[in-house]
Amino acid sequence: MINLEDFIYQYYLKPIINGEGYNPINTATYAIIAIICLYLIFLAFKKYNLKVDRNFVKAVFPFVLFGSTVRVVTDAITSGVFKPVTIVHELILKSGIYNYSYFTVTPGIYIIVAFLLFASMIVLKLLKKSEYLGYVGAVLFVFHLLLLIPFMTYWVNLIPVLVLALIPALIASRVFKNDFSTLMVAGHALDGAATFWVIDVFGPSVGLKYFEQHVLGSAIGDFFGTYFAFYLVKILIVFGVSYLLIKEKEDENLKNFVALAIAIMGFAPGVRDILRMLVGG
């Protein structure tokens, strides 16, 4: 009979250490934790009367991009693509701070990004400079993007991914006429398109093997023999969720909060997959 220590290692630590992706146990656990955290965050938003509107989305998204780029820097270092081309790159390699660890991969990276986001919100609120929140995230994102740019060589593959993501987003914009619903569809269309292109097309074309880390996504891709099915299923599901969310007679701020959370769950892995494809890591 497996003891608690072995159970934690087998289902939580080992997948991170070996880069194995998710399993049903850690997927369910992380999902429950995420739901609880989102609920507590929304309660805080409600208590302090924080509005989830366009301005808030613009301020938060640079932090999402920051998290994705940190993840790709980790991937590039692990795969050996990341080279000491500048003194900054050399210092980063020597420091080891981006080495594959709990805090530079999922779910740890989400904790780090959330901590930096809320710490920035609190500090800027005390300084009465809350309008600078987006700039903080932008600086963090741009710094890590600049680290990756010297290794980006597969730009042509960006076009089909963006086209596949843009089509559902434009349809959603016309159907729902709601910015948050469009954002949800765009995020998950991007994730689905990137997953399909990287695994089915890009990987085989350059001799690299990629795999879907999430349990459900992997099952869909394996069942149909192509991750284009995963792309289509994601779009159908997010369109359905968008429709239900719009019809729901709930507080508008709550609906926007839920929509933003769902959108981030699409954009974060989608951007990561795109950047990783560009560097070939």
Side-chain angles (χ1 to χ4, degrees), residues 68 70-82 98 100 104-105 213 272 276 279 281:
S68 296
V70 169
R71 184 69 173 86
V72 178
V73 168
T74 297
D75 292 332
I77 291 174
T78 302
S79 65
V81 171
F82 197 96
Y98 291 94
Y100 202 92
T104 55
V105 301
Q213 292 190 344
R272 179 243 175 162
R276 188 177 181 186
V279 302

Side-chain angles (χ1 to χ4, degrees), residues 16 22 30 62-75 97-118 140 144 213-214 264 268-269 272:
I16 294 173
Y22 295 89
Y30 297 150
F63 284 89
V64 178
L65 299 176
F66 156 63
S68 296
T69 51
V70 169
R71 184 69 173 86
V72 178
V73 168
T74 297
D75 292 332
I97 60 175
Y98 291 94
N99 289 354
Y100 202 92
S101 71
Y102 183 85
F103 293 106
T104 55
V105 301
T106 307
I109 188 61
Y110 281 95
I111 297 172
I112 296 298
V113 173
F115 172 78
L116 290 174
L117 171 61
F118 291 115
L140 293 170
H144 290 87
Q213 292 190 344
H214 296 89
I264 290 173
R272 179 243 175 162

Side-chain angles (χ1 to χ4, degrees), residues 208-229:
L208 294 172
K209 185 172 178 60
Y210 295 93
F211 69 97
E212 169 58 31
Q213 292 190 344
H214 296 89
V215 176
L216 183 58
S218 179
I220 293 171
D222 291 344
F223 181 80
F224 287 98
T226 173
Y227 279 86
F228 190 72

